[in-house]
Amino acid sequence: MSIAQRYQKIRKEIPDEVTIVLAGKTRTREEIEEVIEAGATEIGENYVQEAERMHSSLGEKAGEITWHMIGSLQKNKINKALQIFDVIQTVGSLHQAADIGERAGRTGRIMPVYIEINIGSEFTKAGVEPEYEVIENLSREISGLENLRLEGLMTMGPRSGNPEDLRPCFRRTRDIFERIRDCNLPGVNMKTLSMGMSNSYRVAIEEGANMIRLGTIIFGERE
Ligand SMILES: *Cc1c(COP(=O)(O)O)cnc(C)c1O
């Protein structure tokens, strides 16, 4: 199967309300163009520089895509990131949120962000511990930042051969997501639960994900 066929097959298999973000790391412009041609509208990038390169090589098409920052964002890349991305999924502290908010404020922009929850991932040390009180507190702080709009939670989850092992992590994240949503904080619009990757997206959707992030299963193994 081609990239386009794999994308369309998964698109058909999952509910319409689940958004697919294509993880673009290490992929070529041709590969990304193919998946866009097949209907993809959301691209996730881990590195600002790589995103910048992809963004400019796609030309006009880049404007039709919603760009998601899914890697950890360094402070000295925030300004650049604000020019490229439509949402930052990886906010992990108040300090970082304040830095992003301050820079967004300079351009008069309101930046959508998700809080990243670190539910035992070895891919990344980034993210907030999965304690409800900690996440509620951070959500309240972000709610008070004029130039950020909290719109969701994101989690990677531990790598595991068996996606069933991730079910409790996803369930816990969903529970936190719903509790924050039910706080109805001002300036917060909790609508997106971003969890599940190539090996785990089915379980993630069963546990309430409405956004999944796929790389390998669409594009093949990374080198
Ligand atoms: C690479 C990546 C994905 C996709 O991983 P696959 O296992 O290739 O589907 C999802 N989320 C993040 C944050 C990633 O870095």
Side-chain angles (χ1 to χ4, degrees):
M1 264 196 279
S2 67
I3 289 172
Q5 288 167 331
R6 286 195 289 258
Y7 171 78
Q8 281 164 347
K9 179 164 181 287
I10 292 177
R11 188 60 277 176
K12 265 198 225 105
E13 283 169 6
I14 65 174
D16 289 347
E17 62 273 15
V18 176
T19 300
I20 300 176
V21 174
L22 280 307
K25 58 180 179 281
T26 77
R27 309 303 176 180
T28 63
R29 189 196 68 191
E30 288 75 15
E31 289 172 304
I32 298 294
E33 276 178 341
E34 181 174 346
V35 80
I36 293 172
E37 292 291 313
T41 56
E42 323 273 324
I43 306 286
E45 291 284 355
N46 291 69
Y47 303 100
V48 173
Q49 230 172 347
E50 207 176 335
E52 200 182 2
R53 234 180 290 127
M54 187 61 76
H55 198 274
S56 63
S57 73
L58 288 174
E60 284 198 350
K61 255 182 239 152
E64 294 157 21
I65 296 296
T66 301
W67 294 84
H68 298 254
M69 180 55 178
I70 60 172
S72 51
L73 178 58
Q74 287 159 344
K75 187 171 175 175
N76 63 354
K77 300 278 169 63
I78 293 174
N79 283 330
K80 188 56 89 183
L82 289 170
Q83 291 168 24
I84 298 170
F85 292 105
D86 299 290
V87 49
I88 297 172
Q89 296 204 7
T90 50
V91 169
S93 69
L94 173 59
H95 189 78
Q96 186 186 27
D99 283 340
I100 298 168
E102 195 244 318
R103 284 161 179 76
R106 285 188 214 158
T107 61
R109 167 143 199 228
I110 294 176
M111 190 67 189
V113 296
Y114 307 163
I115 293 173
E116 179 175 359
I117 299 186
N118 190 344
I119 210 136
S121 170
E122 346 55 74
F123 290 112
T124 165
K125 291 193 183 62
V128 183
E129 58 181 307
E131 291 301 330
Y132 176 71
E133 284 71 25
V134 175
I135 294 157
E136 190 198 306
N137 280 336
L138 179 56
S139 301
R140 287 186 187 280
E141 304 271 15
I142 294 175
S143 159
L145 296 173
E146 247 174 69
N147 293 91
L148 295 189
R149 188 170 58 232
L150 181 61
E151 293 192 346
L153 299 182
M154 180 274 220
T155 195
M156 297 272 282
R159 187 191 342 237
S160 168
N162 182 0
E164 278 301 322
D165 297 344
L166 296 168
R167 195 179 288 280
C169 298
F170 291 153
R171 194 165 288 180
R172 183 156 183 196
T173 307
R174 186 223 185 123
D175 176 61
I176 295 170
F177 174 78
E178 290 179 344
R179 289 173 70 186
I180 302 286
R181 190 186 60 199
D182 294 346
C183 290
N184 287 314
L185 299 170
V188 171
N189 177 16
M190 275 316 247
K191 58 180 186 183
T192 304
L193 182 54
S194 172
M195 56 185 195
M197 320 202 306
S198 288
N199 69 339
S200 60
Y201 72 92
R202 286 197 180 85
V203 174
I205 292 170
E206 284 167 16
E207 294 303 329
N210 59 10
M211 178 176 285
I212 57 177
R213 306 179 311 270
L214 303 179
T216 318
I217 200 169
I218 306 282
F219 298 114
E221 291 294 333
R222 280 181 293 275
E223 318 243 298

